């Protein structure tokens, strides 16, 4: 059995091609109810930069922490300075199982730029969720597709 190491390098040659999906494809899968976009950014990032409509929000740093994975100083700082999150292990697995198994949806992880979501997709796959993918370009790519507010001025 081939397992994916979530701590593997983010080197583009490290099978990222099979874990990444374009934003256009991810959006179409969601429109067809075949996928669910999971925003793994921290709450403060969503508050500062904006939310993506129709996404499930699961902050990845909290997930890493509750699963017993080591956090970098930066990740720990983000958790310590942010608002406490109500997500716990049971809530996380209930939510992921409902999306992945009950609805047979593809789990489409999205972060700010596409790097953390690649880690999240690897982590989910290592836990047995074979239909986890990372949305290439992340929120930044999504934001570029949105109509500019300046056009209404």
């Amino acid at each position: 059995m081939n397992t994916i190491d979530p701590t593997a390098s983010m080197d583009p040659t490290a099978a990222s091609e099979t874990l990444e999906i374009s934003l256009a494809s991810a959006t179409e899968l969601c429109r067809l109810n075949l996928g669910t976009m999971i925003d793994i950014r921290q709450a403060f990032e969503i508050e500062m930069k904006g939310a993506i409509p129709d996404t499930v929000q699961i902050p990845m740093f909290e997930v890493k922490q509750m699963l017993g994975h080591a956090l970098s100083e930066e990740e720990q700082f983000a958790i310590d300075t942010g608002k406490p999150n109500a997500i716990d292990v049971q809530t996380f697995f209930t939510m992921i199982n409902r999306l992945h198994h009950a609805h047979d949806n593809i789990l489409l992880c999205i972060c700010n730029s596409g790097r953390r979501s690649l880690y999240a997709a690897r982590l989910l796959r290592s836990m047995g969720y074979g239909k986890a993918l990372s949305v290439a370009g992340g929120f930044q790519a999504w934001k570029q597709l949105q109509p500019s507010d300046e056009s209404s001025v």
Side-chain angles (χ1 to χ4, degrees), residues 14-30:
S16 61
E17 310 83 43
T18 60
L19 288 177
E20 285 190 307
I21 187 169
S22 71
L23 178 61
S25 295
T27 303
E28 183 65 10
L29 286 170
C30 292

Side-chain angles (χ1 to χ4, degrees), residues 6 9 19 48 55 97-98 122 127-128 133 151:
S9 157
L19 288 177
M48 285 176 30
T55 60
N97 284 334
R98 181 178 51 81
R122 283 190 181 116
M127 294 168 46
L133 296 170
S151 62

Side-chain angles (χ1 to χ4, degrees), residues 58-69 71 79 87 92 123-124 127:
I58 303 176
M60 183 50 56
F61 296 162
E62 277 90 344
V63 171
K64 282 179 68 174
Q65 184 178 48
M66 74 182 170
L67 293 176
H69 292 246
L71 297 176
I79 289 175
I87 193 166
F92 169 70
L123 177 63
L124 287 168
M127 294 168 46

Side-chain angles (χ1 to χ4, degrees), residues 112-126:
N112 188 53
S113 66
R115 287 188 303 269
R116 284 179 289 169
S117 59
L118 195 54
Y119 173 89
R122 283 190 181 116
L123 177 63
L124 287 168
R125 284 189 176 206
S126 75

Side-chain angles (χ1 to χ4, degrees), residues 90-106:
Q90 183 175 352
T91 303
F92 169 70
F93 282 111
T94 299
M95 189 179 306
I96 295 296
N97 284 334
R98 181 178 51 81
L99 295 171
H100 190 267
H101 298 304
H103 292 217
D104 198 29
N105 274 10
I106 299 167

Side-chain angles (χ1 to χ4, degrees), residues 126-145:
S126 75
M127 294 168 46
Y129 300 99
K131 293 182 181 180
L133 296 170
S134 171
V135 179
F139 177 79
Q140 292 175 6
W142 180 83
K143 190 72 174 168
Q144 288 178 351
L145 295 177

